[in-house]
Amino acid sequence: MMRFSVFTYAAIGFVALAAGAIVLPDWAMFLFAMALAKGLVCLGIVGMMRGGVVSFGQGLYYCLGAYTATLAANFLGVSDIFLLTLLSAAVCLLVGLIFGPLLSSYRGIFFAMLSLALSMVLYGSLSKMSFIGGTDGLNIGAPTFLGWAPEGRPLQTALYLYVVTIVVISGALMRVYFDSEQGLITQATRDNELRVEYLGASVRTVMAYNYAFGALLGGIGGTIAVLALGHVDPEFAFWTTSGEFVFVAILAGYLSVPAVFFAAIILELVRSFSSLYFPNTWQLSLGIFLLIVIVTLPSGLGSLVSRRKGQNT
Amino acid sequence: MDLVATILVDGLIYAGWLFIVSVGLTLVFGVLNILNIAHGSLYAIGAYASASLVGVYFAAGGDAFPYGSYAALILAAVLVAVILGPLLERGLLRYFYGRDEVLNVLVTYAVFLILEDVMKLIWGVNPYFVYEPYTLLGTVEMGSLFYVGYDFAVIAAAIIVGLAVWLTLNRTQIGKVVLAVIHDAEISQTMGVNVKRIYLGAFMSGAFLAALGGALTAPMISVTPGLGVNVIIVAFAVVIIGGLGSVPGAAIGALMVGISRAASVHLLPEAELFIIYFVMAIVLVFRPEGLFAKTQARKI
Amino acid sequence: MSNGLLEVRDVQKTFGAVTAAKDISVSVPQGSIYSLIGSNGAGKTTFVNMVTGYIKPDAGTINFGGRNIAGLPPRQITRLGIHRSFQIAQLCNELTVEENMLVAGAIHGRTRPSFLRRSDDAQARERAMATLERFNIAEHRNRLIPELSGGVKKLLDIAMAMAGETQIMLLDEPTSGVAADEKFPIMDLVIDALRDEGVTVIFVEHDMDIVNRYSERVLAFYDGQIIADDTPDVVLSDTEVQRYVTGAPA
Ligand SMILES: Nc1ncnc2c1ncn2[C@@H]1O[C@H](COP(=O)(O)OP(=O)(O)OP(=O)(O)O)[C@@H](O)[C@H]1O
Ligand SMILES: [Mg+2]
């Protein structure tokens, strides 16, 4: 069978998404940008899922990234989007490298709840810090792009293309990782830790890597989200925010990278349409949707396109 | 009265409440192996139901015998358990037994989302107040401080609940069967235990305890949407600290969290919101499966 | 006598009231083939588990290559060249036979496992296929584990353990769960492959014909203790061994 390279897929993905900059109306472009930013966070969860754990606390990095960018913009006067992204990515990676090894010996519910606890600690702390806005949060101004300071539709378009670029690059890199030797070891870990340890690899190291990647992606996602929204508050770290990320990850499954962003877009669409048409029951619609997904697609959307027989055991 | 005593009393009151809301969660996990996020919704529904029932009670002339409102509180919890218990367990959860733990958390998260809106549909978004049962027991003077009598009633309720659950599990025939099912559902099934009934019973008990927690809390607060969101996270922490599925664990966890939070409120208010997670993290560092979890090395 | 490749000295292990290892001392010379016999619960797997790091002995030393490895984690002991197979084959059920082998290859590659190099590049697959062929299971390469017969699972389990530089191989009941007519062919294959590589072998076995045919020396376990340590003829005709282990006179 002919196998296209990751780069071909990335190029196709980029063109398809970038076309959105021309065809999408303002509201949809904003929705897609937010969905893709959140998709980045979810991609991090999917990376962990491949190793057999699910973090219920990715809001931690989403929030940390958003606050880092906002504080850098408000107090250090940084407005360049590349610099902001780099800064929050670095901060989140650092925090991820600290917590990763600590969390790496936990599995299942314990991993999920501990990561959730960490995000709730951030939520609690930020809510109490009135000097950076407390529960009201902070505003952030429009970013600049290497000195260029667009406004209105051009700003929105630039931001959208920026997130598309990052999504395509991160998606491609994660695909390369998933298909790599380390990626295969991660999959083996999900399946049989004992075997992996007895082959001479450290399961904890595998877990710590995946956690750190998740932190990095979470921080980048948070940065883009806050730039798109113009505002951040501690809710970014609240458990229901993290719950939605897990929702997207489960909806996508761990087989396909594009499925993650597809799932994120679906969730944003379902959310905005149900809040439009059922303003009082959008959570209800979301819950029912989630149940339907779990029942009908136990291996996620990705299983529709991937050849792998994920639930065959 | 000195600080230590204040912290202890406040801590005990909070721990009593925590225990009531967590013990049902741990029981359900022990039997069904499902960590039920919708436990928070059941709590909130219990609060709404009791606010409504107590309201009805006083509207129907309950002032003549205000203590009857306590019966209304408990009746509210029973109603929630009897109506929602079978609906959720038979109607949904039973299809997920034996599936991945984390996936099941997500199933109950979906239920949680659904119930959040269902509550708004039934009770609207305006707050409910039923303060009568709260003031009924007067105040208790301790040293220079006054405590509301009802707060101590909550501690008493927690002790009664704890004893009832413990005695049922360890001193009755049905309790032995439940313990057998917790140990190994499949073997129990082959030995003639009606596992389905045990699952349903355990879930209904859990639902009752969640609703009872809400019902008892309703008089102390204004009942508004979003009530269950925070409760569930706190209850999770307690249950994880104690060891999933352990009733004594939930008691110890509730005490640890209750007293630490009271200490933090008085000594370090900034930390109040996350002291719970701090305690949980410390416990898990030393006991990765919680205090009372039975860890077994896998034989290979 | 401290010229053994593996020197086990006075090792003890109890699980609550159960004594799983009591005063266990063994010296295994390089290149030899040892078998461990004993009834269920005698402590054979516990011995394997202690040597390979799954269980830490309560007391005693396990010397290998001039250092005491008792209490090291499995992955470090594996890295030193002591590999094992399992009573119940430990495989990755969601992966195919070939992918299982690729996992082993990735961990034991020429370099540290890479984040960029494809796990199934031509070189890696070639290596994996060579090992699968050596163990005669290459034809199953695209099948998932649950579809395999007991014998193929056991062989894959051993093949994966052989991916690295093996000095000592501990096989825990290589023929359990294997169809009767496959036992000898499988043992022939495995012992040949291990001999070719000059690997020292210790295998746990309940079938005395296999013990007799393949091992040079036998350790008989009873109640956590070694009650005989000699050549197969001597051990199998030992009255104590007959009473406690083999059941009937050999
Ligand atoms: N992890 C453990 N925890 C508790 N007891 C254990 C553990 N591992 C082994 N045992 C006990 O130690 C004793 C020796 O067990 P071991 O597995 O070594 O026996 P074995 O000789 O391999 O038996 P078999 O032929 O059945 O495999 C048994 O009584 C067993 O129950
Ligand atoms: Mg054994």
Side-chain angles (χ1 to χ4, degrees):
Chain A
M1 194 186 103
M2 169 97 185
R3 193 196 246 150
F4 292 114
S5 80
V6 167
F7 302 101
T8 318
Y9 282 118
I12 295 171
F14 181 80
V15 171
L17 282 170
I22 304 161
V23 299
L24 290 175
D26 283 1
W27 66 268
M29 198 148 74
F30 172 75
L31 186 145
F32 271 58
M34 281 305 286
L36 293 176
K38 290 179 180 178
L40 285 170
V41 188
C42 305
L43 183 59
I45 300 181
V46 167
M48 288 182 247
M49 265 165 68
R50 291 179 75 87
V53 293
V54 179
S55 161
F56 269 64
Q58 280 319 87
L60 170 65
Y61 298 102
Y62 184 63
C63 184
L64 190 64
Y67 267 93
T68 307
T70 308
L71 293 175
N74 292 357
F75 294 103
L76 304 178
V78 182
S79 68
D80 186 73
I81 193 163
F82 298 95
L83 210 54
L84 288 175
T85 312
L86 218 58
L87 258 174
S88 18
V91 169
C92 287
L93 180 63
L94 191 71
V95 175
L97 286 173
I98 295 170
F99 287 132
L102 295 176
L103 288 176
S104 63
S105 49
Y106 297 93
R107 300 288 176 274
I109 293 283
F110 295 94
F111 181 85
M113 297 325 276
L114 264 178
S115 53
L116 182 142
L118 288 176
S119 70
M120 290 303 285
V121 167
L122 181 69
Y123 171 80
S125 318
L126 289 173
S127 304
K128 290 268 170 175
M129 289 189 206
S130 44
F131 62 96
I132 50 168
T135 49
D136 292 338
L138 294 169
N139 290 329
I140 182 171
T144 57
F145 298 77
L146 301 173
W148 179 51
E151 282 170 33
R153 173 91 189 185
L155 170 63
Q156 224 197 348
T157 311
L159 202 59
Y160 176 75
L161 288 176
Y162 181 70
V163 63
V164 166
T165 310
I166 291 203
V167 159
V168 169
I169 293 174
S170 318
L173 285 177
M174 286 303 266
R175 185 74 252 170
V176 168
Y177 164 47
F178 292 164
D179 290 338
S180 74
E181 293 175 342
Q182 280 285 358
L184 183 64
I185 296 170
T186 293
Q187 255 184 298
T189 301
R190 160 198 183 83
D191 224 335
N192 193 336
E193 291 189 15
L194 186 72
R195 172 40 94 187
V196 171
E197 284 277 326
Y198 265 110
L199 283 170
S202 161
V203 167
R204 291 192 57 176
T205 307
V206 168
M207 296 287 171
Y209 276 134
N210 288 328
Y211 186 84
F213 294 150
L216 183 67
L217 288 167
I220 298 175
T223 308
I224 295 170
V226 72
L227 289 172
L229 282 170
H231 180 79
V232 61
D233 60 46
E235 291 283 323
F236 272 50
F238 198 61
W239 72 270
T240 48
T241 310
S242 301
E244 279 179 24
F245 296 144
V246 176
F247 178 3
V248 170
I250 299 272
L251 173 57
Y254 62 87
L255 299 171
S256 155
V257 168
V260 178
F261 297 99
F262 200 63
I265 290 170
I266 291 181
L267 178 68
E268 286 300 308
L269 286 175
V270 169
R271 190 220 306 279
S272 54
F273 279 101
S274 48
S275 62
L276 193 64
Y277 293 109
F278 320 103
N280 299 315
T281 53
W282 68 270
Q283 291 194 91
L284 192 143
S285 331
L286 213 61
I288 291 174
F289 177 57
L290 176 52
L291 282 181
I292 292 174
V293 167
I294 293 174
V295 171
T296 56
L297 280 176
S299 299
L301 282 177
S303 61
L304 295 178
V305 289
S306 168
R307 288 163 299 124
R308 257 224 112 63
K309 2 188 187 331
Q311 76 255 39
N312 214 350
T313 49
Chain B
M1 200 166 67
D2 65 341
L3 194 60
V4 176
T6 314
I7 289 175
L8 271 181
V9 175
D10 283 357
L12 275 179
I13 292 170
Y14 189 52
W17 175 83
L18 271 175
F19 177 72
I20 296 175
V21 297
S22 342
V23 68
L25 188 65
T26 213
L27 183 72
V28 168
F29 183 86
V31 179
L32 283 67
N33 209 18
I34 288 182
L35 196 53
N36 181 18
I37 289 192
H39 199 75
S41 318
L42 294 168
Y43 169 92
I45 293 173
Y48 272 116
S50 85
S52 298
L53 270 190
V54 170
V56 167
Y57 181 78
F58 283 106
D63 284 325
F65 180 63
Y67 294 100
S69 60
Y70 294 122
L73 289 182
I74 294 169
L75 181 65
V78 171
L79 282 178
V80 172
V82 169
I83 296 171
L84 282 178
L87 193 68
L88 291 178
E89 197 274 339
R90 286 289 97 191
L92 182 72
L93 295 182
R94 69 177 165 126
Y95 299 106
F96 295 93
Y97 293 150
R99 298 275 292 272
D100 180 66
E101 278 180 352
V102 176
L103 186 82
N104 282 346
V105 172
L106 219 62
V107 170
T108 63
Y109 176 57
V111 175
F112 168 85
L113 289 175
I114 293 170
L115 290 180
E116 282 298 287
D117 276 351
V118 168
M119 278 184 268
K120 282 186 213 149
L121 291 178
I122 297 177
W123 283 285
V125 293
N126 294 323
Y128 282 66
F129 297 98
V130 276
Y131 55 88
E132 292 92 342
Y134 189 54
T135 52
L136 218 49
L137 299 178
T139 54
V140 179
E141 191 180 346
M142 292 184 80
S144 57
L145 286 177
F146 288 93
Y147 284 92
V148 180
Y150 188 86
D151 288 339
F152 289 96
V154 170
I155 299 184
I159 294 172
I160 294 170
V161 163
L163 280 178
V165 173
W166 192 85
L167 288 175
T168 311
L169 281 180
N170 294 290
R171 292 284 180 274
T172 65
Q173 199 55 43
I174 188 92
K176 290 207 181 89
V177 175
V178 174
L179 291 178
V181 171
I182 291 179
H183 189 71
D184 193 326
E186 253 171 64
I187 293 183
S188 313
Q189 177 105 46
T190 57
M191 286 171 53
V193 173
N194 187 341
V195 172
K196 262 195 213 163
R197 272 237 296 277
I198 300 292
Y199 278 16
L200 178 59
F203 189 78
M204 284 175 68
S205 315
F208 169 73
L209 291 167
L212 182 68
L216 292 177
T217 310
M220 307 154 87
I221 57 169
S222 70
V223 183
T224 51
L227 191 59
V229 181
N230 296 312
V231 172
I232 184 60
I233 296 300
V234 176
F236 271 160
V238 168
V239 164
I240 297 261
I241 289 172
L244 282 165
S246 161
V247 172
I252 302 287
L255 278 173
M256 286 174 70
V257 169
I259 291 179
S260 333
R261 199 192 83 141
S264 138
V265 166
H266 289 285
L267 303 173
L268 188 69
E270 298 79 25
E272 184 205 328
L273 276 174
F274 58 79
I275 189 79
I276 298 169
Y277 311 108
F278 185 70
V279 174
M280 171 174 133
I282 296 286
V283 168
L284 287 191
V285 166
F286 292 102
R287 299 270 310 175
E289 312 244 291
L291 293 174
F292 283 68
K294 32 187 187 329
T295 40
Q296 276 177 341
R298 196 170 116 217
K299 276 194 213 170
I300 57 171
Chain C
M1 49 167 233
S2 59
N3 50 359
L5 179 62
L6 182 73
E7 293 279 345
V8 179
R9 281 273 157 274
D10 299 324
V11 161
Q12 324 278 344
K13 182 72 198 179
T14 55
F15 294 107
V18 178
T19 304
K22 185 164 190 286
D23 302 328
I24 298 288
S25 294
V26 186
S27 170
V28 182
Q30 171 141 31
S32 55
I33 301 186
Y34 271 56
S35 63
L36 311 184
I37 63 172
S39 48
N40 293 121
K44 306 178 297 293
T45 298
T46 302
F47 177 87
V48 174
N49 283 344
M50 289 190 299
V51 172
T52 58
Y54 188 69
I55 290 174
K56 185 176 159 52
D58 296 336
T61 59
I62 301 171
N63 276 306
F64 172 72
R67 81 186 262 210
N68 181 12
I69 58 167
L72 290 184
R75 92 178 156 274
Q76 281 182 30
I77 293 181
T78 299
R79 294 228 164 257
L80 294 174
I82 301 183
H83 299 174
R84 73 173 287 182
S85 74
F86 299 86
Q87 205 165 331
I88 297 165
Q90 296 294 327
L91 306 167
C92 298
N93 287 328
E94 290 179 17
L95 303 181
T96 63
V97 168
E98 184 179 10
E99 285 166 337
N100 268 278
M101 207 56 230
L102 286 170
V103 173
I107 296 174
H108 289 293
R110 300 130 290 167
T111 58
R112 295 182 52 166
S114 159
F115 284 97
L116 299 175
R117 188 169 49 235
R118 280 192 76 99
S119 60
D120 58 352
D121 74 3
Q123 220 180 339
R125 291 191 62 185
E126 202 176 304
R127 268 186 62 195
M129 285 308 292
T131 315
L132 292 178
E133 266 155 24
R134 182 74 184 87
F135 285 88
N136 211 5
I137 47 177
E139 62 188 286
H140 304 289
R141 65 181 177 277
N142 290 325
R143 296 172 68 188
L144 288 174
I145 305 307
E147 306 165 5
L148 303 176
S149 71
V152 177
K153 283 189 196 170
K154 284 285 190 184
L155 283 171
L156 179 57
D157 193 42
I158 297 168
M160 287 174 80
M162 282 295 288
E165 295 278 314
T166 313
Q167 294 199 51
I168 299 182
M169 174 69 89
L170 295 103
L171 305 168
D172 197 353
E173 304 198 13
T175 66
S176 74
V178 173
D181 58 341
E182 284 181 28
K183 290 192 179 193
F184 281 98
I186 282 184
M187 282 306 285
D188 278 340
L189 192 70
V190 170
I191 297 291
D192 266 0
L194 293 170
R195 268 229 179 90
D196 281 355
E197 310 268 328
V199 174
T200 306
V201 184
I202 300 172
F203 68 93
V204 177
E205 186 54 63
H206 284 287
D207 185 330
M208 292 310 140
D209 291 334
I210 290 178
V211 168
N212 218 346
R213 174 132 143 213
Y214 297 98
S215 56
E216 294 158 0
R217 211 174 165 93
V218 181
L219 303 176
F221 281 71
Y222 175 70
D223 216 5
Q225 298 180 62
I226 295 180
I227 56 171
D229 173 356
D230 216 315
T231 58
D233 318 339
V234 178
V235 171
L236 294 182
S237 54
D238 182 299
T239 50
E240 216 184 358
V241 171
Q242 286 175 358
R243 174 137 43 100
Y244 293 126
V245 182
T246 54

